[in-house]
Amino acid sequence: YDMPEFVRLAGREGYPDRIAFGFDRKSMPAWAGKNPQAFKSIYDEFLVAVAVSPILADCWRMYQLAVSQGVETRRFRFGRKGEWLGPEA
């Protein structure tokens, strides 16, 4: 639940210039599957925070999880380091 707030905090305080988000590949997909609305809420807030943050955030894994859970249907572009670049053209 703290990922979006962490991105905002890092941007405000000038923490590292890059954050890579990972998760436990067993427990997180299971939790997201049992709590799709909560996961979607966190994921959407995370993308909003990433879009306005000066911190480069590796969002690829979160995006892949959201797609696999059926929470994300939009197509996005990602940079070489997994950073979210916005919607596909």
Side-chain angles (χ1 to χ4, degrees), residues 3-4 14 17 19 21-22 24 31 35 38 42-43 45 48 59 61-62 64-65 72 75 77 79 81-82 86:
M3 288 174 20
D17 55 359
I19 303 169
F21 289 94
D24 183 317
W31 178 84
N35 302 282
I42 293 166
Y43 172 75
E45 188 178 347
V48 168
C59 305
R61 288 184 186 104
M62 286 299 294
Q64 289 295 93
L65 178 59
E72 180 61 83
R75 305 288 287 166
R77 294 177 300 123
K81 295 184 178 181

Side-chain angles (χ1 to χ4, degrees), residues 3-4 7 10 14 18 29 34 38-39 41 44 58 60-61 67 71 76 81 85:
M3 288 174 20
V7 171
R18 181 170 188 271
K34 292 177 185 172
F39 176 67
S41 176
D44 287 343
D58 181 341
W60 178 246
R61 288 184 186 104
V67 168
V71 168
F76 294 124
K81 295 184 178 181
L85 300 176

